[in-house]
Amino acid sequence: MDKTEFTVRDILAGRAPGDAPVTVKGWVRTRRDSKAGISFVHLSDGSSFHPVQVVAPNTLPNYADEVLKLTAGCAIAATGTIVPSPAKGQPFEMQASAIKVIGWVEDPDSYPIQPKPHTLEFLREVAHLRPRTNVIGAATRVRHTLAKAIHRFFDENGFFWVNTPIITSSDAEGAGALFRVSTLDLANLPRTPEGKIDFAQDFFGREAFLTVSGQLNVEAYCLALSKVYTFGPTFRAENSNTSRHLAEFWMIEPEIAFADLSDDATLAENLLKYAFATLLNERQDDLAFFDERIEKGLVAKLSGIVGSEFVRMDYGEAVAVLERATETFEFPVKWGIDLQSEHERYLTEKYAKKPVIVMNYPKDIKAFYMRVNDDGKTVAAMDVLAPGIGEIVGGSQREERLAVLDSRMTERGIDKEHYAWYRDLRRYGTVPHAGFGLGFERTLAYVTGLANVRDAIPFPRTPGHARY
RNA sequence: UCCCCGGUAGCUCAGCGGUAGAGCAGCCGGCUGUUAACCGGCUGGUCGGCGGUUCGAAUCCGUCCCGGGGAGCCA
């Protein structure tokens, strides 16, 4: 991009010179013609929510042959002078002196992306073209800024980003079904003398899978660098068909040493508030769009969260609240049950009307690595529940006592040999530590008001869907 | 995987036993410093597939496919 080229964002912000011709490149959103002898072409390059208005006079040499044939989706380079717009709708516009068509739309009649609202369901079926829409473009920019805000928060607080492996052999974390990674010839599998598949001949000499969580690995780095986090893709081969599940999704997993569950909850709350505040500050146009078209009151909702405390309650208190509720639940509430979606929704949407942190769950419904509390009945686990989306954070203080960890593994029938390296962390300089997983797409859905995580990731993977 | 709802023009939908419709998009024309403009005209369909009921099926029945919502699992 040479010095005379500017983005739509720069032009609308007044950062392009007004005394010399500049060029902007992008894709046509709409074209309106005036018989007074000009056409108005709205041009988007994705750099900002709003397009730039290019005013094309009929004195352009290619006006009749090309400008009047521009339709939604055509790629052009427009050159001209940036002037304050005489009409309402935009602060600046371009008086074009040249419009060069770079790419036509073949068969405009059937081009799927039109200057009108489409259903999100339809847009998922044209996943390669949907970034050209307002809603997916805005979601993409918010996703970027959210990711940057999360990294910045950790950086400013002394955390190190640890890239835990995508391919693992940890297969019993209780976090769902796994995708197998193998280079064996499926049509001609090697067998052991007992007739089982001989994974010793596979690429890694053992069974391998795509990771469902970087937690166990990041714990190892936590017990050396004190404050660490992962931010990367994770994979679950669950046959989940809901608006909140993806087979491939991104997760943020901080892990802090010399810390307990309360520290963990505070970290989660601070992270979310920081991220939301950043979006309110840096993505105003996009959030205004989501507020207007996707979820009324979105900006006020986020501002409210930034400025208030999350509600914290013990699992026992949560059960008591649910038992007192006048609402009738499909699943009856009593101490010991895992909270159902309807229960979580009640707590966060009706009872607190903001994010709720539920802490100290019964140990029998939680994973083996969560620290057993002094009561012997509960573990130091916490979930952050958000209105409309449910669980966005799941975390715990980890069991740092080797004897307790071993007995928990025995209870669950987990092979200690397989977790020898994880047990080592408790043998050599063990300390209390805690962490959580934050679902990136669920968080993005929450901050945009988008009801389905499939619209919060560029190319969603769900059961039966990996076409694009 | 289970339970519901839906599939009609490129898109959004109406029609729900009797000759396939509207809005938007596209094309043509009119008007206009316009703002996902406005006015007129035109083009555009195996009514998801297959089978059945009926004189006659987009409409009723069966089945399969596809999409969505909810549940479970979880982030």
Side-chain angles (χ1 to χ4, degrees):
Chain A
M1 190 146 107
D2 63 49
K3 282 183 303 214
T4 63
E5 258 186 66
F6 289 84
T7 64
V8 172
R9 177 184 176 82
D10 284 337
I11 291 169
L12 293 180
R15 287 192 286 266
D19 55 355
V22 302
T23 296
V24 60
K25 296 173 178 172
W27 293 267
V28 172
R29 279 287 174 77
T30 61
R31 192 199 83 233
R32 288 177 297 278
D33 305 319
S34 166
K35 279 297 179 287
I38 50 179
S39 289
F40 301 96
V41 178
H42 276 188
L43 193 66
S44 168
D45 65 359
S47 62
S48 73
F49 179 79
H50 295 285
V52 67
Q53 174 157 279
V54 175
V55 183
N58 62 5
T59 52
L60 293 177
N62 61 343
Y63 184 78
D65 287 345
E66 295 195 322
V67 174
L68 286 180
K69 293 192 170 70
L70 291 174
T71 57
C74 289
I76 64 171
T79 301
T81 308
I82 304 303
V83 299
S85 180
K88 288 178 182 169
Q90 56 282 319
F92 296 94
E93 63 184 25
M94 172 183 281
Q95 293 287 347
S97 55
I99 288 182
K100 182 183 177 191
V101 179
I102 296 174
W104 288 103
V105 166
E106 163 190 310
D107 190 16
D109 186 42
S110 60
Y111 179 61
I113 307 300
Q114 297 174 11
K116 58 172 263 184
H118 292 91
T119 61
L120 292 165
E121 291 80 10
F122 168 71
L123 291 176
R124 279 172 220 147
E125 293 173 12
V126 285
H128 58 311
L129 299 175
R130 69 175 187 166
R132 303 173 182 212
T133 62
N134 280 337
V135 62
I136 299 299
T140 304
R141 286 184 295 270
V142 173
R143 183 180 169 105
H144 165 83
T145 302
L146 180 62
K148 296 279 285 183
I150 289 167
H151 280 300
R152 201 187 310 154
F153 170 85
F154 285 127
D155 188 51
E156 289 174 0
N157 286 280
F159 282 71
F160 296 105
W161 181 22
V162 176
N163 304 121
T164 50
I166 304 294
I167 299 171
T168 74
S169 60
S170 303
D171 61 352
E173 293 160 24
L178 299 135
F179 286 102
R180 179 179 298 284
V181 176
S182 175
T183 55
L184 293 177
D185 179 0
L186 291 178
N188 187 19
L189 291 168
R191 298 284 173 175
T192 63
E194 296 80 42
K196 293 180 174 171
I197 297 169
D198 186 7
F199 286 105
Q201 294 188 42
D202 205 345
F203 188 88
F204 296 107
R206 60 190 301 167
E207 288 187 271
F209 307 91
L210 294 179
T211 185
V212 295
S213 162
Q215 180 203 316
L216 269 45
N217 291 288
V218 89
E219 278 187 54
Y221 273 70
C222 175
L223 296 181
L225 286 91
S226 300
K227 293 200 276 188
V228 295
Y229 71 104
T230 72
F231 191 156
T234 52
F235 308 87
R236 310 251 170 115
E238 296 285 355
N239 189 12
S240 297
N241 293 286
T242 82
S243 57
R244 304 179 305 283
H245 290 86
L246 294 164
E248 176 182 303
F249 66 99
W250 286 58
M251 191 154 63
I252 296 96
E253 297 177 285
E255 194 75 26
I256 44 179
F258 311 102
D260 62 15
L261 188 66
S262 177
D263 299 323
D264 201 32
T266 300
L267 177 65
E269 182 170 349
N270 289 344
L271 170 63
L272 289 171
K273 285 180 177 174
Y274 180 96
F276 295 173
T278 302
L279 295 177
L280 288 166
N281 189 37
E282 298 180 12
R283 290 260 80 94
Q284 292 178 12
D285 284 357
D286 292 316
L287 290 185
F289 167 78
F290 286 117
D291 193 305
E292 185 191 334
R293 295 295 180 93
I294 305 292
E295 180 185 334
K296 302 273 183 246
L298 176 76
V299 170
K301 175 182 89 175
L302 296 177
S303 303
I305 288 169
V306 170
S308 69
E309 298 295 303
F310 288 15
V311 173
R312 291 192 196 193
M313 61 173 75
D314 262 20
Y315 168 87
E317 295 171 52
V319 168
V321 166
L322 292 165
E323 283 174 335
R324 283 201 304 272
T326 53
E327 197 129 328
T328 48
F329 297 112
E330 185 186 345
F331 295 90
V333 179
K334 70 168 199 231
W335 200 97
I337 64 156
D338 204 355
L339 297 181
Q340 304 292 315
S341 289
E342 57 175 348
H343 304 141
E344 296 182 345
R345 265 207 305 277
Y346 178 85
L347 289 172
T348 188
E349 291 170 15
K350 295 190 174 155
Y351 178 74
K353 295 189 169 66
K354 59 180 174 179
V356 171
I357 308 180
V358 180
M359 307 168 80
N360 298 312
Y361 284 81
K363 73 170 183 177
D364 290 341
I365 60 173
K366 290 292 181 182
F368 75 93
Y369 51 73
M370 297 184 179
R371 190 179 195 279
V372 178
N373 287 324
D374 291 344
D375 61 14
K377 300 190 307 183
T378 60
V379 289
M382 61 113 185
D383 286 347
V384 178
L385 311 176
I389 194 78
E391 183 182 341
I392 57 172
V393 166
S396 65
Q397 184 174 343
R398 320 306 188 186
E399 183 55 75
E400 87 281 12
R401 299 161 297 187
L402 183 63
V404 182
L405 183 69
D406 279 351
S407 70
R408 290 276 282 161
M409 292 176 78
T410 303
E411 273 172 38
R412 297 292 174 92
I414 294 167
D415 179 14
K416 287 198 191 83
E417 280 303 300
H418 199 92
Y419 286 92
W421 68 263
Y422 189 70
R423 293 177 70 252
D424 275 356
L425 303 175
R426 278 71 182 165
R427 297 171 64 207
Y428 310 128
T430 190
V431 301
H433 61 291
F436 62 82
L438 170 66
F440 189 50
E441 285 76 19
R442 285 187 182 178
T443 307
L444 188 61
Y446 182 69
V447 298
T448 56
L450 289 167
N452 196 316
V453 292
R454 292 168 199 163
D455 303 317
I457 191 167
F459 294 97
R461 267 77 178 107
T462 54
H465 295 274
R467 178 178 162 201
Y468 293 97

